[in-house]
C-alpha cells in the first residue's frame, strides 16, 4: 500500500505543482506526519522533491522533472470507467484506484490536453442522486460488486414486499439508477425459482416470470441492493450466459416495467397553469400527453390523454393538480377522484 501511496504522491506533485503537506495529507487521507515520511522516502529513492518554507511554501518537484511511471494496472483501468461518477466508485470501494488512475492518465498527457482535462474537471461535475432524498444504505455493496467482478455465486437473504427470501444467484452486473444500486442476476440452475410476477421499482425489475434451472433471459431479474439483508460470495464460479448484454437487458426491462406500472390512460381537461405543472409532476408521460393534446377551448383549457398507474395511485397523483385539472375518463377513475375530493372537502368543511 505504501508503494501505491508514494506513486500517488509523486503524481500529485507532478500534476498540480506546489502542494502543502496538509493538502497532500487530505488528498491521500493520511496524517501530515506520514506525508513528511513519504517525502523523505521519495528523496531517498532519487526523486528530486524541493521543500519551500514560508506561508506560500510547500513541496514541489524540481523544474523539468517528470516521471514516466504512468502505466495503469488492470484494476485502475477498470476504475476509469466510473470516472464520471466518483461517488459510485467510492461506494464500490474503488475510490483510491480511480484517483490513482486519473493521476496517471493526466501525467501521461501532453501539456495542452492535460490542461484541458484539468479545466473540464474544474468546471463540470456529475452528481447522480436525485434531490431531496437520502441515499440507500448499502452495507453489502462491496460484497456484491466483488461477486459480479469475480463471477462468484452469491447467496443472499432478500427483503421483498411479499416477504423475505433466500436465493442463490449468478450476479451478472450492477446498475446505478437515480442514485440507487441494482443487482442484475440469474437464478442458480436447479435452484428455487423466484415465484410471482416481475419485481417492482421498490424491489427491482424483472424479465418474465422465470423458468427453473435456466440461465437464459427469462430467469434474469433485478434486485435492489439496499434490500439485501445479507450477502455472501461463495467459492464457486460460473460462466456468464453467452451474449448477455447488461445495458440492453436494463433498457428492455425498464421499458417493460414502465409499461406495467402505467397500464391504463386517463383523459384530462387541464388549465393553462396545469400545462406548465404537468411535466414537473409526471415527467416523460406528461410531455408525451401534451404533444398529442387537442386545441384549447374558450377558457384556454385543453384535453390530454396520459398514461397513469393503477386507479388508487392515479387518484392521489391527479389530485395534486387541484382545481387546475378535471378527470373526464375513464368513468371509474373520475368517480374515484370525485369521492376522494368530496371526502377532503368534508374534512375541511368546518373551516369554510
Amino acid at each position: 500500500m505504501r508503494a501505491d501511496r508514494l506513486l500517488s504522491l509523486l503524481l500529485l506533485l507532478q500534476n498540480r505543482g506546489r502542494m502543502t503537506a496538509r493538502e497532500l495529507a487530505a488528498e491521500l487521507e493520511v496524517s501530515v506526519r506520514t506525508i513528511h515520511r513519504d517525502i523523505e522516502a521519495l528523496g531517498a529513492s532519487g526523486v528530486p522533491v524541493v521543500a519551500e518554507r514560508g506561508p506560500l511554501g510547500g513541496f514541489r518537484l524540481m523544474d523539468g522533472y517528470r516521471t514516466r511511471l504512468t502505466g495503469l494496472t488492470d484494476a485502475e483501468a477498470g476504475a476509469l470507467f466510473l470516472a464520471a461518477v466518483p461517488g459510485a466508485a467510492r461506494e464500490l470501494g474503488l475510490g483510491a484506484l480511480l484517483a490513482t488512475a486519473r493521476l496517471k492518465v493526466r501525467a501521461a498527457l501532453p501539456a495542452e490536453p492535460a490542461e484541458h482535462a484539468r479545466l473540464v474537471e474544474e468546471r463540470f461535475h456529475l452528481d447522480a442522486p436525485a434531490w431531496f432524498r437520502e441515499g440507500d444504505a448499502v452495507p453489502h455493496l462491496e460484497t456484491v460488486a466483488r461477486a459480479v467482478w469475480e463471477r462468484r455465486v452469491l447467496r443472499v437473504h432478500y427483503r421483498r414486499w411479499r416477504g423475505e427470501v433466500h436465493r442463490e444467484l449468478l450476479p451478472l452486473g450492477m446498475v446505478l439508477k437515480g442514485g440507487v444500486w441494482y443487482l442484475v442476476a440469474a437464478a442458480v440452475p436447479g435452484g428455487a425459482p423466484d415465484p410471482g410476477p416481475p419485481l417492482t421499482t421498490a424491489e427491482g425489475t424483472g424479465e418474465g416470470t422465470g423458468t427453473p434451472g435456466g440461465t437464459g433471459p427469462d430467469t434474469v431479474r433485478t434486485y435492489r441492493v439496499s434490500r439485501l439483508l445479507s450477502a455472501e460470495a461463495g467459492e464457486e464460479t460460473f460462466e456468464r450466459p453467452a451474449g448477455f448484454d447488461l445495458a440492453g437487458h436494463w433498457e428492455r426491462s425498464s421499458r417493460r416495467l414502465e409499461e406495467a406500472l402505467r397500464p391504463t390512460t386517463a383523459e384530462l381537461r387541464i388549465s393553462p397553469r396545469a400545462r406548465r405543472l404537468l411535466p414537473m409532476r409526471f415527467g416523460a408521460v406528461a410531455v408525451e400527453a401534451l404533444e398529442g393534446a387537442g386545441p384549447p377551448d374558450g377558457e384556454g383549457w385543453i384535453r390530454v390523454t396520459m398514461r397513469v398507474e393503477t386507479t388508487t395511485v392515479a387518484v392521489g397523483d391527479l389530485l395534486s393538480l387541484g382545481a387546475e385539472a378535471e378527470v373526464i375518463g375513464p368513468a371509474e377513475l373520475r368517480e374515484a377522484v370525485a369521492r376522494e375530493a368530496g371526502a377532503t372537502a368534508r374534512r375541511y368543511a368546518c373551516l369554510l
Side-chain angles (χ1 to χ4, degrees):
M1 289 297 294
R2 192 188 186 198
D4 291 340
R5 190 175 68 244
L6 289 175
L7 178 57
S8 296
L9 175 59
L10 173 58
L11 293 174
L12 278 169
L13 293 175
Q14 177 168 306
N15 290 330
R16 301 189 187 179
R18 183 187 296 107
M19 295 183 70
T20 67
R22 191 173 300 278
E23 289 170 338
L24 290 166
E27 283 286 342
L28 299 176
E29 299 181 347
V30 296
S31 68
V32 171
R33 179 176 297 180
T34 297
I35 291 298
H36 283 288
R37 287 200 297 264
D38 288 350
I39 291 291
E40 291 179 4
L42 284 178
S45 67
V47 176
V49 181
V50 178
E52 298 178 342
R53 302 189 180 280
L56 301 179
F59 298 104
R60 64 176 178 84
L61 296 178
M62 183 179 292
D63 293 341
Y65 178 85
R66 289 184 65 83
T67 179
R68 297 303 175 189
L69 298 175
T70 54
L72 294 177
T73 67
D74 290 346
E76 290 164 353
L80 275 178
F81 285 94
L82 291 170
V85 280
R90 285 193 298 273
E91 288 183 338
L92 291 171
L94 300 175
L97 285 173
L98 176 59
T100 302
R102 292 169 69 175
L103 286 171
K104 287 183 177 181
V105 169
R106 186 178 295 174
L109 291 173
E112 289 187 8
E115 175 63 12
H116 181 74
R118 186 190 68 79
L119 291 175
V120 169
E121 184 177 38
E122 181 182 87
R123 300 177 190 187
F124 297 92
H125 175 68
L126 176 63
D127 185 10
W131 284 102
F132 311 122
R133 56 161 300 180
E134 293 292 330
D136 283 350
V138 282
H140 305 294
L141 185 65
E142 285 193 44
T143 299
V144 172
R146 190 176 305 112
V148 169
W149 184 251
E150 297 177 358
R151 294 181 290 109
R152 294 191 179 277
V153 172
L154 190 65
R155 296 178 179 88
V156 302
H157 183 193
Y158 188 71
R159 184 181 72 253
R160 306 185 304 175
W161 284 356
R162 300 187 297 276
E164 298 176 6
V165 294
H166 292 270
R167 291 284 179 267
E168 285 195 344
L169 302 173
L170 307 181
L172 302 176
M174 299 181 70
V175 176
L176 179 63
K177 170 72 171 178
V180 178
W181 282 102
Y182 295 94
L183 165 67
V184 177
V188 169
D194 212 349
L199 301 174
T200 64
T201 48
E203 300 178 281
T205 60
E207 293 242 73
T209 56
T211 51
T215 55
D218 286 343
T219 70
V220 178
R221 294 182 178 275
T222 308
Y223 302 85
R224 188 161 174 163
V225 176
S226 62
R227 290 182 174 269
L228 292 177
L229 302 177
S230 67
E232 178 185 359
E235 294 299 320
E236 316 96 301
T237 60
F238 65 93
E239 293 297 323
R240 290 172 60 83
F244 178 75
D245 175 17
L246 178 62
H249 161 81
W250 183 260
E251 182 181 356
R252 291 190 300 273
S253 59
S254 298
R255 190 184 309 119
R256 277 197 287 272
L257 175 64
E258 186 170 338
E259 292 170 355
L261 287 178
R262 299 184 184 276
T264 187
T265 58
E267 186 179 354
L268 310 173
R269 181 173 175 265
I270 62 174
S271 70
R273 181 168 180 267
R275 292 174 64 177
R276 298 191 298 273
L277 291 175
L278 215 62
M280 292 187 286
R281 300 282 174 83
F282 297 95
V285 293
V287 174
E288 179 186 2
L290 288 171
E291 289 175 349
D297 60 20
E299 297 177 339
W301 288 48
I302 61 173
R303 290 197 175 204
V304 298
T305 300
M306 186 174 72
R307 290 186 287 122
V308 295
E309 296 188 41
T310 61
T311 298
T312 303
V313 176
V315 167
D317 289 345
L318 295 174
L319 280 175
S320 69
L321 297 171
E324 302 297 326
E326 177 187 359
V327 177
I328 305 299
E332 177 189 4
L333 179 58
R334 179 179 172 88
E335 292 166 3
V337 170
R339 284 195 301 272
E340 190 68 20
T344 303
R346 289 190 295 274
R347 174 73 66 183
Y348 292 99
C350 62
L351 301 178
L352 299 177

